[in-house]
C-alpha cells in the first residue's frame, strides 16, 4: 500500500510503501476513496519528534470500501461503502489502505460523493458526543433552551449548529467573525450569529436569557473566564481544546453549573464498552444526510492525496479561517 508519512515534527509528508495489512478480530481493511483534513492533523504533526525511524501516518476522516474483514466482524462485509474517523493511537488515513475497528465505522451516505462523505465523520462524532453524550441534551426536556456555539463556521461548528437545531430543538446562537462565515452559520440554521471578538457584549444585545449550554470550539484558555461568566445557573459548558493554563473551577460553584470535556478519540483510545455508539451515531448521521435533514459541510476538494495537496490543506487549516471542511481524493495509483 501507499501512504504519506511524516518523519519529524512539522516536516513535509513523504510517500512511503508499506505492506498492506491483514485485518484480524473486529478490524476492517479499507481501500480509501477520499479523506478530509482536521486541526488534529497539524497538531499531531507538530508534536512528532525528530528523525523518526518509522513514519507517522496521520489523518482521521475517511470514506472508502471494505475489501477484507477480520474473523469477528459482523457489522460490514466486503464491498460495503463506509465512512469513519478512526483511532488517533493507530495509523491514519493519508494512505491508500487502512485498518479500522468496525465498531467506530458507519455506512457511507448513498447520496454523497466520497469526498463529501469523508468530510463528515470526525466533526459529526465530536458534535454528537458533545451535545448528546457529554451535555446530555435531550429535546423532550431541553426543547427551546439556548445553546451558544463558539466557532460556528468551522468543521465541528458547522455540524453542531445543525444537530443542536434538528435533534436538540434548541435556540442556537453561533459565533463567527466575517461576513462569509456569518452567512454560512445562518445557512446551517443558526437563529442568531454574533462575533466572538466581542462575544459577551454582542450576546447581551440579543436580549436573550443566559445560555443554558455552551459548546466552545475555540481555544479554551482565552474563553474560560468569559464563558463561565456568561453561562446560566445550572448550565453546562463543553470544551474540546486542551488548556495550557490552570483555571478556577470554583467560579461555577454558586451557579451549580458544570464543565464537561469532549474528546472524540476517547472511546477507541480506551476501548470503552460503548465504543459501538460511534457506529450507531455515524449511521444516524448518514441517514440524516441522505434524507436531507442535515446539510453536508464539505466546502472544497484540493485534489488527490499528495505531498503538495497535504501541504496546501495544512496551510489552510493553520489560518484558522476555513469554513466547513476540506477533502482530498484517493491516492493516485
Ligand atoms: N476534542 C475533540 O474531540 C475535538 C474534535 C474536533 C476538533 N477539536 C478541536 O476543536 C477546534 C475546532 O475544530 P474545527 O475542526 O471546527 O476547526 P476549524 O474548522 O479549523 O475552525 C475554523 C473556524 O474557527 C473560527 N475561529 C477562528 N478564530 C476563532 C476564535 N478566536 N474563536 C472562535 N472561533 C474562531 C473561524 O471562524 P471566523 O473565520 O468566523 O472567525 C473558522 O471558521 C480545533 O482546535 C480542533 O483541534 C477537538
Amino acid at each position: 500500500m501507499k501512504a504519506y508519512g511524516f518523519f519529524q515534527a512539522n516536516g513535509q509528508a513523504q510517500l512511503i510503501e508499506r505492506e498492506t495489512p491483514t485485518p484480524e478480530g473486529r478490524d476492517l481493511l479499507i481501500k480509501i476513496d477520499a479523506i478530509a483534513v482536521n486541526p488534529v492533523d497539524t497538531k499531531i504533526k507538530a508534536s512528532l519528534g525528530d528523525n523518526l525511524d518509522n513514519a507517522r501516518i496521520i489523518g482521521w476522516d475517511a470514506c472508502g470500501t471494505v475489501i477484507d474483514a477480520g474473523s469477528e466482524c459482523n457489522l460490514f462485509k466486503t464491498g460495503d461503502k463506509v465512512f469513519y474517523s478512526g483511532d488517533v493511537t493507530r495509523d491514519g488515513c493519508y494512505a491508500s489502505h487502512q485498518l479500522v475497528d468496525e465498531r467506530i465505522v458507519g455506512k457511507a451516505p448513498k447520496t454523497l460523493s466520497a469526498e463529501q462523505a469523508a468530510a463528515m465523520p470526525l466533526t459529526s462524532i465530536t458534535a454528537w458526543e458533545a451535545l448528546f453524550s457529554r451535555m446530555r441534551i435531550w429535546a423532550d426536556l431541553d426543547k427551546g433552551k439556548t445553546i451558544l456555539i463558539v466557532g460556528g463556521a468551522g468543521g465541528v461548528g458547522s455540524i453542531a449548529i445543525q444537530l443542536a437545531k434538528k435533534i436538540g430543538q434548541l435556540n442556537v446562537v453561533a459565533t463567527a467573525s466575517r461576513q462569509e462565515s456569518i452567512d454560512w452559520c445562518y445557512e446551517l440554521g443558526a437563529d442568531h450569529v454574533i462575533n466572538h471578538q466581542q462575544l459577551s457584549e454582542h450576546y447581551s444585545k440579543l436580549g436573550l436569557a443566559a445560555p443554558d449550554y455552551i459548546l466552545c470550539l475555540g481555544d479554551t484558555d482565552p474563553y474560560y473566564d468569559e464563558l463561565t461568566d456568561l453561562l446560566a445557573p445550572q448550565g453546562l459548558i463543553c470544551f474540546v481544546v486542551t488548556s495550557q493554563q490552570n483555571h478556577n473551577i470554583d467560579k461555577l460553584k454558586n451557579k451549580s453549573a458544570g464543565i464537561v470535556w469532549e474528546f472524540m478519540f476517547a472511546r477507541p483510545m480506551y476501548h470503552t464498552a460503548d465504543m459501538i455508539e460511534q457506529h450507531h451515531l455515524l449511521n444516524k448521521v448518514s441517514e440524516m444526510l441522505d434524507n436531507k435533514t442535515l446539510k453536508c459541510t464539505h466546502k472544497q476538494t484540493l485534489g488527490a492525496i499528495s505531498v503538495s495537496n497535504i501541504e496546501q490543506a495544512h496551510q489552510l487549516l493553520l489560518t484558522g479561517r476555513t469554513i466547513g471542511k476540506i477533502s482530498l481524493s484517493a491516492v493516485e495509483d
Side-chain angles (χ1 to χ4, degrees), residues 175-189:
T175 80
S177 70
R178 296 169 295 132
Q179 197 55 52
E180 200 185 349
S181 46
I182 293 168
D183 293 345
W184 174 244
C185 291
Y186 279 124
E187 202 178 315
L188 297 171

Side-chain angles (χ1 to χ4, degrees), residues 37-40 43 122-123 126-127 129 150-158 175-182 184-185 195-197 199 216-219 222-223 239-242 261-266 316-325:
V37 294
N38 289 283
V40 66
K43 290 180 187 180
L122 187 145
T123 52
T126 308
E129 290 186 343
V150 178
V156 183
S158 298
T175 80
S177 70
R178 296 169 295 132
Q179 197 55 52
E180 200 185 349
S181 46
I182 293 168
W184 174 244
C185 291
N195 192 326
H196 33 249
Q197 286 155 359
L199 199 147
C216 180
L217 304 168
D219 288 345
Y223 281 112
F239 289 112
V240 302
V241 180
T242 310
W261 282 98
E262 163 59 12
F263 183 49
M264 53 77 55
F265 291 120
L316 286 170
L317 285 175
L318 289 169
T319 65
R321 302 186 95 198
T322 54
I323 294 178
K325 298 280 305 171

